[in-house]
Amino acid sequence: MKNKNLYNYILGIADNSLILGQRLGELTGHGPSLETDIACTNISLDLFGQVRSYYQYAAKIAGDDRTEDDIAMLRKEREYFNVLLVEQPNTNFAYTIVRQFLFDVYHYLFLTELQKSHDVTLVAIAKKSIKEVSYHKRFSTDWLKRLGDGTTESKQKTQQAVNDLWTYTEELFYTTQADNAMISEGIAVDVTKFKANYYQNVNAVLTEATLDIPESKFFQKGGKQGIHTEHLGYLLSDLQYMQRTYPNMEW
Amino acid sequence: MSEAQIKSLEKQFDDRIARDEKIEPKDWMPEKYRKTHIRQMSQHAHSEIVGMLPEGNWITRAPSLRRKVALLAKVQDEAGHGLYLYSATETLGISREEMYEQLHTGKAKYSSIFNYPTVTWADMGAIGWLVDGAAIINQVPLCNTSYGPYARAMIRVCKEESFHQRQGFEIMLKLANGTPEQKEMAQDALNRWWWPSLMMLGPTDDVSTHTEQSMKWKLKRKSNDDLRQQFIDQTVPQAELLGLTIPDKDLKWNESRQSYDFGEIDWDEFWQVVKGHGPMNKVRMKARVDAWEKGAWVRDAAMAHAEKKRNKKQKQAV
């Protein structure tokens, strides 16, 4: 492949949306209310829409007979480059919201910067996606405040989710070799530049939600190099089931 | 109110419906009309919500991204239908919580078809094609029903349902034209969903209750048997187009009736499922009750937060 770094860079972006979209899709029909059910499904739909644009572009760059579905569903576990945060399970609605919020704040800042890329296709995807993500961020921010500053029980559950998921935040700002190569070409976003801004935004909302900002300085990473938590394998067995069981068929 | 006064109101009410005028929430209505509509509309809303489960079962395993997006959108539409049908029912003086309570305790029913399992991907095609197909036949006449909020909700529901039906047929078409394994999967789905789909149109006319009154109120325009015949006549040619065989050895074109004759429906199975003993009744209900119970702390938090915000605003205003 001529442009392996660009290909890997796109996968890194798209895999986040793929895996988070898949997680949210698990919840459809099981939400705490009809309205939240619709909203979570809607976010999942937006993410899969973005995923398709990215993978179609990646398939074009690969330049062989790979399709968007091959890229999405036929890689091995070590070949997915999403961050660990998005693969964390829907332990309860607090985890779903906190995971969403911690990702949305990042995703919004990321897409803001991606619009300045030298790659016109990525710019176009970013411009379309940021409108959707701005809604996702509003949804998860509003719910974080409701849950944090709601009842004693909701506060306790939400604080627990924040404490547990906090360890996955720093990885959002880790850059791989493909990232660095693409940053130097003016194509990729240098995520380290908005790290401070990210934590400022996150901390402000946590404070407003009357939640404590975790003090832990121990962080987990690995997803961007394909080393995942044990959760991902199970998610992939659902995601890949049909493509693996019935290879080379059209649906 | 005297009996004579009520009689006169009822007469005016019936005349309005006969003139095709819509009844609106604030209008006077006989108690029986209100109750019948609550029963039918909430049952309809419940069917949308429970109906999300068998299809939701395949969201994480959809075979392609395109199919996954379409399935997510379809299930989301069903949630939307549930939402505006519940809202329309609320105009009759019942809360959504009360309706949920009736669903969870088994007092209110939902469409029995959702008590069958979705075991392969082809079931997503068969549900869209057959189940939504039968639903449309049931529902199109409701776009002209007498109760305004219901009629308006149904116009929107029907538009989306016919899109879902085409989408389901398209899934079947792809399978039917695919590999032998895919075609077999499609045939198997048709075999399993055909009879339950015929049952969806309701018991035969000789045992169906409520029909006469429902006809007068335009809750029903045609009898169950007529609707079923319409569904069969419309669906058989579609199955032929797919190259699939309808699992009924007695199915035969009747030249003199210009309709298909068809075999005996297993009504024992129908009543067994209606009474709660189908393959998935308990699982479906448990999923709904679990979602509701596990969501209680979330709904409580939202209420408590809104209350805090209101208090804050009031304090600021003082």
Side-chain angles (χ1 to χ4, degrees):
Chain A
M1 200 188 306
K2 217 170 62 196
N3 211 337
K4 186 94 179 137
N5 281 333
L6 180 58
Y7 178 82
N8 282 337
Y9 181 63
I10 297 167
L11 257 46
I13 306 171
D15 288 354
N16 285 337
S17 295
L18 174 79
I19 303 302
L20 187 55
Q22 179 78 358
R23 275 284 181 241
L24 291 169
E26 293 169 7
L27 294 170
T28 303
H30 306 277
S33 70
L34 212 38
E35 288 79 357
T36 50
D37 211 308
I38 291 173
C40 288
T41 308
N42 202 41
I43 295 172
S44 176
L45 259 173
D46 286 345
L47 292 172
F48 279 116
Q50 296 165 17
V51 162
R52 293 191 67 192
S53 306
Y54 286 123
Y55 288 157
Q56 282 164 12
Y57 183 36
K60 214 166 97 184
I61 290 165
D64 44 28
D65 55 1
R66 240 174 288 191
T67 65
E68 58 175 84
D69 292 324
D70 296 338
I71 298 176
M73 298 175 180
L74 288 175
R75 279 179 286 152
K76 301 201 171 66
E77 184 169 349
R78 291 278 278 105
E79 295 163 348
Y80 284 83
F81 302 129
N82 60 280
V83 291
L84 302 177
L85 174 67
V86 294
E87 70 200 42
Q88 298 311 306
N90 298 309
T91 308
N92 60 34
F93 193 67
Y95 281 79
T96 301
I97 289 299
V98 172
R99 182 187 63 205
Q100 193 65 40
F101 169 72
L102 292 174
F103 183 71
D104 288 343
V105 174
Y106 164 84
H107 201 187
Y108 187 82
L109 292 168
F110 175 81
L111 291 172
T112 307
E113 293 304 311
L114 191 62
Q115 293 178 82
K116 301 172 194 158
S117 168
H118 291 168
D119 185 299
V120 288
T121 310
L122 289 179
V123 170
I125 301 173
K127 277 194 192 315
K128 182 181 165 281
S129 307
I130 198 163
K131 289 182 202 141
E132 298 165 346
V133 172
S134 137
Y135 160 77
H136 304 170
K137 186 162 74 107
R138 202 170 67 213
F139 172 81
S140 59
T141 301
D142 286 350
W143 268 104
L144 192 72
K145 290 181 196 163
R146 282 188 199 110
L147 297 180
D149 192 16
T151 63
T152 315
E153 185 187 5
S154 71
K155 188 194 186 76
Q156 181 265 324
K157 282 190 157 82
T158 310
Q159 185 67 58
Q160 187 66 52
V162 171
N163 296 350
D164 286 352
L165 294 172
W166 193 255
T167 188
Y168 301 114
T169 51
E170 205 187 56
E171 192 194 4
L172 293 162
F173 305 98
Y174 173 79
T175 54
T176 64
Q177 190 206 335
D179 291 349
N180 291 329
M182 287 295 99
I183 290 168
S184 62
E185 286 187 35
I187 288 175
V189 171
D190 184 355
V191 289
T192 58
K193 287 199 173 146
F194 62 78
K195 184 175 173 181
N197 195 0
Y198 171 83
Y199 280 109
Q200 236 167 33
N201 282 334
V202 166
N203 293 353
V205 176
L206 287 176
T207 305
E208 205 189 326
T210 70
L211 293 162
D212 297 330
I213 299 157
E215 284 169 11
S216 168
K217 297 279 180 271
F218 299 104
F219 295 100
Q220 301 295 324
K221 63 175 192 293
K224 283 185 164 182
Q225 295 114 303
I227 304 165
H228 293 275
T229 59
E230 290 178 354
H231 301 296
L232 188 71
Y234 296 96
L235 181 147
L236 292 181
S237 30
D238 272 359
L239 178 73
Q240 301 189 342
Y241 167 67
M242 289 296 289
Q243 290 279 341
R244 295 278 182 209
T245 313
Y246 304 93
N248 303 316
M249 295 185 201
E250 286 190 24
W251 303 96
Chain B
M1 217 182 290
S2 75
E3 209 169 296
Q5 278 171 313
I6 291 177
K7 275 256 165 343
S8 150
L9 278 171
E10 276 177 2
K11 168 92 178 55
Q12 287 171 37
F13 181 82
D14 289 344
D15 290 348
R16 284 185 63 192
I17 292 181
R19 284 196 304 271
D20 259 339
E21 281 177 37
K22 291 278 178 268
I23 307 300
E24 295 301 333
K26 284 185 178 149
D27 297 345
W28 181 88
M29 62 184 77
E31 194 51 21
K32 197 173 168 206
Y33 180 91
R34 197 180 71 86
K35 283 205 167 122
T36 303
H37 276 77
I38 288 178
R39 185 176 54 79
Q40 177 164 333
M41 290 166 69
S42 66
Q43 181 173 325
H44 194 159
H46 297 326
S47 300
E48 297 284 355
I49 299 313
V50 179
M52 293 167 72
L53 300 170
E55 291 178 290
N57 184 39
W58 278 89
I59 287 174
T60 59
R61 293 176 293 165
S64 69
L65 291 174
R66 183 172 84 91
R67 293 292 183 204
K68 195 189 284 282
V69 166
L71 185 60
L72 271 165
K74 184 186 175 197
V75 181
Q76 191 193 27
D77 280 350
E78 281 154 10
H81 297 170
L83 196 59
Y84 40 84
L85 282 164
Y86 280 127
S87 305
T89 316
E90 283 179 310
T91 63
L92 290 162
I94 183 168
S95 69
R96 212 201 291 180
E97 284 68 25
E98 285 173 278
M99 287 185 264
Y100 279 154
E101 172 75 17
Q102 292 178 351
L103 173 69
H104 297 162
T105 55
K107 194 180 160 215
K109 299 271 178 246
Y110 56 90
S111 184
S112 253
I113 192 95
F114 302 121
N115 293 316
Y116 289 86
T118 51
V119 292
T120 73
W121 168 252
D123 291 9
M124 298 305 99
I127 288 184
W129 174 39
L130 301 172
V131 175
D132 292 335
I136 292 166
I137 285 189
N138 257 335
Q139 291 171 3
V140 164
L142 291 172
C143 297
N144 293 314
T145 193
S146 61
Y147 188 54
Y150 195 23
R152 288 188 290 273
M154 287 318 297
I155 290 172
R156 196 164 153 191
V157 169
C158 283
K159 268 190 205 149
E160 291 177 350
E161 289 294 355
S162 62
F163 177 73
H164 295 164
Q165 203 234 350
R166 280 203 301 276
Q167 193 173 290
F169 185 77
E170 207 255 319
I171 291 177
M172 293 303 272
L173 193 63
K174 198 81 184 171
L175 295 173
N177 292 329
T179 64
E181 213 174 352
Q182 283 174 305
K183 189 166 181 179
E184 195 187 309
M185 194 192 277
Q187 180 64 55
D188 167 65
L190 171 57
N191 294 349
R192 285 180 290 108
W193 291 95
W194 174 253
W195 293 103
S197 299
L198 296 191
M199 294 174 197
M200 259 183 88
L201 284 316
T204 50
D205 294 348
D206 51 334
V207 296
S208 173
T209 45
H210 317 294
T211 300
E212 199 184 328
Q213 181 73 81
S214 297
M215 293 266 189
K216 200 168 88 183
W217 288 337
K218 299 178 181 171
L219 266 174
K220 222 168 167 51
R221 291 278 164 111
K222 285 182 183 174
S223 77
N224 293 349
D225 286 336
D226 288 346
L227 292 171
R228 190 161 16 247
Q229 187 69 60
Q230 184 189 336
F231 174 71
I232 293 169
D233 291 346
Q234 148 190 324
T235 309
V236 173
Q238 295 170 358
E240 283 167 3
L241 198 75
L242 291 170
L244 299 176
T245 310
I246 287 182
D248 178 359
K249 60 179 171 35
D250 298 318
L251 187 79
K252 201 168 73 229
W253 177 250
N254 183 323
E255 192 57 36
S256 64
R257 284 202 312 123
Q258 287 293 300
S259 263
Y260 283 92
D261 291 338
F262 56 97
E264 192 65 36
I265 293 171
D266 181 356
W267 290 110
D268 289 342
E269 177 183 320
F270 174 77
W271 290 113
Q272 180 181 328
V273 181
V274 168
K275 287 176 181 154
H277 308 290
M280 297 296 279
N281 296 59
K282 291 185 178 67
V283 179
R284 299 288 183 242
M285 210 30 61
K286 184 173 184 311
R288 284 314 314 157
V289 172
D290 277 356
W292 183 247
E293 287 176 353
K294 283 186 191 153
W297 69 269
V298 176
R299 298 189 302 274
D300 290 347
M303 296 271 275
H305 182 76
E307 177 76 25
K308 282 183 190 174
K309 264 177 109 171
R310 258 197 308 276
N311 289 344
K312 226 184 245 173
K313 251 194 198 154
Q314 270 170 358
K315 262 191 202 154
Q316 278 167 356
V318 173

